[in-house]
Amino acid sequence: MAPVPIRTVGIIGTGVIGASWAALFLAKGLKVIVTDPAPGAEVKLRKYLQSHCSEVPNSHVSPEACLENLTFVNELDALLGKVDLIQENGPERLDFKRKLFAHLDENTPEHVLIASSSSGLPSSEFVTDCKKNPARILIGHPFNPPHLVPLVEVVPHPATGSEYVDAACQFYKSLDKEPVLVKQETPGFIANRLQAAVCAEAYSLISRGVVSAEDLDKTMTSGLGLRWALTGPIMTNTLGGGANFSHFMDHLGPALQGWLGDMEKHKFDFSPQQVDSVKDKVNDWVSQLDLKEIEANRDEALGKFVEDQQH
Ligand SMILES: NC(=O)c1ccc[n+]([C@@H]2O[C@H](COP(=O)([O-])OP(=O)(O)OC[C@H]3O[C@@H](n4cnc5c(N)ncnc54)[C@H](O)[C@@H]3O)[C@@H](O)[C@H]2O)c1
Ligand SMILES: *[C@@H]1O[C@H](CO)[C@@H](O)[C@H](O)[C@H]1NC(C)=O
Ligand SMILES: *[C@@H]1O[C@H](CO)[C@@H](O)[C@H](O)[C@H]1NC(C)=O
């Protein structure tokens, strides 16, 4: 059955990720119905939205009007017949998601798209008890915080229908998100695998004393990462090869291979000694800093940068 235009979104779970999705959906003019059984969840969400709606890049709605289309329901079943898409953000536990998705599948009309924000569990593992239409279930994995960072990794399971994959990508694009299709279920999807590769080498360099934690971060924020925000690693290689990726590979490939060989020799092994060493070095640095302020400054700059990129 073909998916329909998405005007009303259901959000399950309003923790870190669900609340941020709510800010985005509301700021883009959608109706949002949310549920979360935690005591005080509604008050906490409203407070969050009051201070974060205004940060959404290219918002369609004034911050004062942002909560107008928000409905909080105490029972999950109260939203199931009323939404065109569900974005699920409950706890990251297989038993929880398996039971929840069987219930969602059973109790929502067949065309309703159901996306899970899960960062680790592949949906093939939690659609096992869905009998009605598991083809409309997929992962829509955001990067924190979803109301600021455009990336969403769309990860179908082997039985997800391509029409639902297309509908999910179109929906996220309509909100100025940047969906990336992950064609095979792979632990960590794409972004977290890349992050793991870079971080493992960072931990190794810091624990070996090759560079301080502060300077490691500076290498990224003043060089590598700054450029990567504009041209990704592959385009950066292509430009570095004089607008010729083959040239880059032929001329710098062997050097890269040599560095990788050395990295393999000094691989961070997550042994207690190595972990303690990197913890000590990082904590010595960050314990002197005002982390709340750093986060707020980052998010403000991030919102402005994204808004600028989208113009
Ligand atoms: N935190 C991140 O950086 C991040 C990034 C991307 C994706 N995710 C994914 O998003 C999902 C949520 O993560 P989070 O960090 O927001 O966790 P969280 O613990 O902050 O929020 C989970 C929320 O789910 C609620 N909940 C529990 N049982 C529920 C139920 N039966 N129905 C509805 N809500 C229920 C909890 O009360 C809580 O508010 C996870 O699958 C996680 O993997 C997290
Ligand atoms: C609320 O939703 C309605 C119906 O989709 C829409 O027309 C209206 O613009 C929305 N209002 C706000 C403030 O987003
Ligand atoms: C790109 O580089 C490759 C390998 O160095 C070379 O063979 C090829 O001619 C180059 N292509 C262009 C368009 O310059």
Side-chain angles (χ1 to χ4, degrees), residues 62-190:
S62 74
E64 300 73 51
C66 187
L67 279 84
E68 271 174 24
N69 276 339
L70 175 76
T71 309
F72 190 100
V73 294
N74 290 320
E75 293 297 324
L76 171 63
D77 287 351
L79 69 77
L80 294 183
K82 298 184 179 148
V83 299
D84 307 312
L85 175 142
I86 291 172
Q87 186 76 43
E88 180 274 330
N89 320 275
E92 185 77 349
R93 289 198 330 261
L94 184 56
D95 59 332
F96 171 84
K97 296 225 199 259
R98 193 174 275 167
K99 232 176 105 195
L100 175 66
F101 277 76
H103 185 82
L104 296 179
D105 183 49
E106 177 78 35
N107 295 287
T108 48
E110 239 176 276
H111 65 272
V112 172
L113 257 164
I114 309 177
S116 169
S117 295
S118 174
S119 21
L121 301 168
S123 58
S124 58
E125 285 186 23
F126 56 75
V127 296
T128 43
D129 298 340
C130 299
K131 308 244 153 47
K132 195 157 143 192
N133 185 18
R136 44 52 185 280
I137 296 171
L138 42 69
I139 304 279
H141 174 239
F143 228 49
N144 196 29
H147 74 282
L148 294 178
V149 181
L151 176 65
V152 190
E153 294 177 298
V154 173
V155 195
H157 60 83
T160 304
S162 61
E163 69 275 34
Y164 296 104
V165 174
D166 292 347
C169 289
Q170 261 185 38
F171 168 67
Y172 291 129
K173 269 189 204 155
S174 74
L175 307 176
D176 298 319
K177 301 292 283 177
E178 203 70 79
V180 165
L181 179 59
V182 181
K183 297 181 201 170
Q184 292 170 26
E185 291 185 323
T186 306
F189 309 135
I190 309 301

Side-chain angles (χ1 to χ4, degrees), residues 224-237:
L224 206 50
L226 194 60
R227 211 166 53 177
W228 275 347
L230 299 163
T231 55
I234 300 303
M235 182 55 73
T236 300
N237 286 173

Side-chain angles (χ1 to χ4, degrees), residues 9 19 22 26 46 48 67 75 77 83 95 122 133 139 183 193 200 203 205 209 218 233 236 246 264 266 282 307:
V9 177
L26 289 167
R46 287 183 182 275
Y48 175 89
L67 279 84
E75 293 297 324
D77 287 351
V83 299
D95 59 332
N133 185 18
I139 304 279
K183 297 181 201 170
R193 288 175 83 93
Y203 305 153
L205 290 168
K218 234 182 259 170
T236 300
S246 301
E264 195 63 34
H266 296 286
V282 170
E307 189 156 283

